[in-house]
């Protein structure tokens, strides 16, 4: 039996500054599985969990080339919200928010989901009109979102500067109170432990290097750095690397990969009560339970597979943060990092079947897929199990880029987020 120190028990009980990394088996790959998931991020692990719990398919392997959660799942700024413009997107992301609301109970593990509110700032008439359009569209879809004046925004988030002398003064804000944050690696760990308990094999340090196809082109196996694994169903959830994995099955994807960066400040006492985003001056910020201010930057302007990004990008973000929150000017940066995000032309994900029998893909979440993790896993598991999409993910099919039925959140938001 595992022994806990008193301090560790206290931290565990209060979800304290280090949540306890749970244990799962270090599985050895078997020769064959009913389904193989390529990518051990939150989406891949959630897919395996729902395959086992909702569809009774537990002879599943999750293959991860590094360590689970070491991709974008462990690198993002954890903003969770469902205030998207189009009906299809609102349904998709709100499905996820509803699952977030019961996730710690379902996994019996504290993912530290905190619905502290996501506030999106307006700085000009165009922002106001765009955010108010989102508010109306969201309400029609049963998604909460409300308009705040600049004064109300400051009351909700006291460190916010609403002086008119700012270069881009705050003119109001849209607030989704059900939005918030969660602890990112806890999500990967929680799904991993629960999937493992159902019999799923989680295999780290195992990169997929080829996809083997048989009669009629259907998939029959993956080649990996740990040997050949036979399977009739492959779900690719390899954010940032989707194009290279899908090329193994001769499929060209409508994706570009960009570095996206984030950083944290030194830890301070609780000062920041919510999440604030400004698309116009490009800054987003919240405070983690460890006390660090979590700040995200934009994508680099050119495609790349580096997990770092150019230094001037976060520097611009910090200028914006210091103008919005002058009290943070003297804080020091603790660390910064980057991830690689897969971006589609309409900035909406692809979740579904492919022209190759037995090959399914879940990708293109770009800068915004963490919030979708439970919903994405649930819908992808449905698609793999039934060989057809769930009504919520049906519009997010790959061939929309051929027939033009786009879900153009890029045009709706006019920015990457
Ligand atoms: P990942 O966690 O990246 O998992 C994919 C896994 O596939 C990786 O672990 C990788 O190693 C593995 N893999 C790749 N190739 C292979 C192979 N050949 N064989 C085996 N394994 C392979 N989203 C939000 O909703 N809110 C935010 O605030 C937010 N902020 C972000 C900030 C930053 C800096 C970044 C980089 C991203 C942010 N995102 C945010 C986006 C979000 O992180 C991603 O959309 C989401 O985490 C994707 O999850 P995933 O499980 O699909 O990918
Ligand atoms: O999707 O809300 C989001 C987001 C914020 C920062 C990066 N992505």
């Amino acid at each position: 039996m595992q022994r806990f120190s008193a301090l560790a028990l206290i931290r565990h009980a209060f979800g304290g500054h280090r949540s306890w990394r749970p244990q799962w088996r270090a599985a050895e790959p078997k020769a064959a599985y009913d389904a193989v998931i390529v990518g051990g991020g939150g989406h891949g692990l959630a897919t395996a969990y729902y395959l086992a719990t909702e569809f009774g398919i537990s002879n599943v392997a999750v293959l991860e080339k590094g360590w689970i959660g070491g991709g974008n799942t462990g690198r993002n700024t954890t903003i969770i919200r469902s205030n998207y413009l189009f009906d299809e997107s609102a349904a998709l992301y709100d499905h996820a928010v509803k699952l977030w609301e019961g996730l710690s109970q379902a996994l019996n593990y504290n993912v530290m989901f905190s619905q502290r509110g996501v506030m999106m700032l307006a700085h000009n008439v165009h922002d106001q009109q765009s955010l108010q359009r989102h508010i109306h569209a969201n309400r029609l879809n049963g998604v909460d979102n409300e308009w705040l004046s600049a004064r109300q925004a400051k009351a909700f988030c006291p460190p916010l500067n609403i002086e008119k002398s700012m270069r881009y003064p705050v003119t109001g804000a849209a607030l989704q109170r059900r939005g918030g944050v969660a602890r990112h690696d806890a999500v990967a760990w929680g799904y991993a432990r629960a999937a493992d308990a159902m019999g799923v094999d989680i295999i780290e340090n195992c990169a997929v290097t080829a996809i083997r196809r048989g009669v009629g082109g259907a998939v029959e196996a993956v080649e990996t750095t740990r040997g050949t694994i036979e399977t009739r169903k492959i779900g690719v959830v390899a954010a940032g690397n989707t194009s290279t994995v899908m090329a193994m099955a001769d499929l060209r994807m409508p994706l570009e990969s960009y570095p996206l960066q984030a950083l944290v400040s030194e830890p301070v006492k609780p000062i920041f009560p919510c999440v604030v985003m400004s698309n116009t001056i490009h800054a987003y910020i919240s405070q983690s339970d460890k006390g660090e201010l979590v700040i995200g930057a934009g994508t680099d302007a050119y495609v790349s597979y580096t997990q770092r990004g150019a230094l001037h990008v976060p520097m611009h973000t910090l200028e914006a943060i210091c103008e919005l929150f002058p009290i943070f000017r003297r804080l020091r940066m603790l660390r910064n990092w980057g991830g690689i995000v897969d971006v589609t032309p309409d900035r909406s994900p692809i979740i579904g079947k492919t022209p190759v029998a037995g090959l399914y893909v879940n990708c293109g979440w770009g800068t915004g897929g963490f919030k979708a993790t439970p919903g994405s896993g649930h819908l992808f598991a449905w698609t793999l199990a039934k060989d057809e999409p769930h009504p919520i993910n049906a519009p997010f099919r790959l061939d929309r880029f051929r027939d033009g039925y786009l879900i153009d959140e890029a045009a709706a938001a006019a920015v990457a987020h």
Side-chain angles (χ1 to χ4, degrees):
M1 195 182 137
Q2 190 152 17
R3 296 174 73 85
F4 297 98
S5 70
L7 181 61
L9 273 178
I10 290 166
R11 279 180 181 157
H12 185 55
F14 293 100
H17 83 272
R18 286 179 61 211
S19 74
W20 193 258
R21 188 186 195 273
Q23 301 295 309
W24 55 87
R25 290 168 302 132
E28 286 300 314
K30 292 192 288 199
Y33 288 93
D34 293 337
V36 161
I37 306 298
V38 183
H43 289 228
L45 293 161
T47 304
Y49 167 80
Y50 292 112
L51 275 173
T53 53
E54 300 252 323
F55 303 101
I57 303 172
S58 56
N59 183 27
V60 173
V62 178
L63 308 182
E64 167 53 49
K65 73 174 179 181
W67 65 95
I68 66 160
N72 289 340
T73 297
R75 293 165 185 268
N76 72 84
T77 48
T78 84
I79 298 174
I80 296 168
R81 57 187 176 86
S82 56
N83 54 357
Y84 284 73
L85 183 66
F86 292 111
D87 297 350
E88 296 88 342
S89 319
L92 175 66
Y93 291 100
D94 214 51
H95 180 57
V97 169
K98 286 180 185 138
L99 287 172
W100 278 113
E101 285 168 343
L103 194 59
S104 292
Q105 286 81 0
L107 299 179
N108 189 25
Y109 187 69
N110 189 1
V111 299
M112 297 167 80
F113 178 48
S114 161
Q115 291 177 292
R116 58 186 68 177
V118 173
M119 197 163 74
M120 302 180 100
L121 302 180
H123 301 273
N124 52 48
V125 173
H126 172 263
D127 285 353
Q128 283 178 217
Q129 290 172 341
S130 168
L131 288 175
Q132 285 174 359
R133 183 179 176 214
H134 279 71
I135 290 171
H136 296 314
N138 289 162
R139 287 185 167 183
L140 286 171
N141 277 316
V143 174
D144 70 304
N145 201 351
E146 65 196 81
W147 179 252
L148 302 184
S149 67
R151 274 173 181 274
Q152 288 169 322
K154 184 162 176 69
F156 192 70
C157 183
L160 180 66
N161 178 11
I162 57 166
E163 293 297 321
K164 297 243 177 342
S165 57
M166 285 169 71
R167 185 161 178 213
Y168 297 102
V170 175
T171 59
L175 172 63
Q176 185 179 24
R177 292 183 193 268
R178 285 164 65 238
V181 289
R183 167 135 193 216
H184 43 22
D185 41 16
V187 176
W189 297 342
Y191 273 122
R193 183 182 71 161
D196 167 71
M198 298 291 294
V200 169
D201 283 353
I202 293 154
I203 303 166
E204 296 176 293
N205 299 313
C206 182
V208 171
T209 54
I211 293 175
R212 213 173 70 204
R213 294 161 66 185
V215 184
V219 303
E220 58 176 30
V222 286
E223 304 293 346
T224 81
T225 48
R226 296 179 66 179
T228 304
I229 298 173
E230 289 182 8
T231 184
R232 302 281 155 169
K233 286 190 187 217
I234 302 173
V236 176
V237 210
N241 296 272
T242 314
S243 300
T244 51
V245 177
M246 297 301 278
M248 297 173 195
D250 300 322
L251 283 182
R252 193 155 170 247
M253 299 297 291
L255 292 169
E256 290 182 332
S257 300
Y258 291 92
L260 176 66
Q261 299 179 70
L263 56 103
V264 288
S265 73
E266 59 189 329
V268 288
K269 293 214 165 139
I271 173 84
F272 204 79
C274 59
V275 180
V276 173
M277 303 179 66
S278 166
N279 287 335
T280 295
I281 60 172
H282 212 291
Y284 42 101
I285 177 166
S286 63
Q287 186 172 21
S288 77
D289 291 277
K290 287 193 278 186
E292 300 160 348
L293 293 172
V294 181
I295 297 170
T299 50
D300 277 15
Y302 45 83
V303 294
S304 159
Y305 282 112
T306 60
Q307 281 182 312
R308 16 169 254 185
L311 190 59
H312 69 271
V313 181
M315 296 320 282
H316 287 312
T317 296
L318 288 176
E319 283 164 14
I321 291 289
C322 289
E323 187 161 5
L324 281 176
F325 307 101
I327 62 164
F328 297 147
R329 275 195 184 133
R330 292 175 60 199
L331 269 183
R332 283 170 296 189
M333 182 165 83
L334 192 63
R335 59 180 188 277
N336 75 320
W337 62 89
I340 319 164
V341 297
D342 280 341
V343 176
T344 58
D346 63 0
R347 300 297 192 272
S348 289
I350 301 166
I351 323 163
K353 297 171 73 166
T354 73
V356 175
L359 183 65
Y360 306 81
V361 71
N362 182 340
C363 65
W365 293 95
T367 59
F370 178 73
K371 66 175 75 65
T373 304
S376 158
H378 178 247
L379 299 170
F380 199 43
W382 171 295
T383 307
L384 276 149
K386 297 183 185 275
D387 194 34
E388 65 180 30
H390 185 282
I392 295 179
N393 67 300
F396 295 88
R397 60 191 202 278
L398 174 59
D399 58 13
R400 73 179 186 272
F401 298 101
R402 191 188 56 209
D403 63 30
Y405 186 79
L406 302 182
I407 305 162
D408 206 345
E409 292 292 341
V415 289
H417 304 316

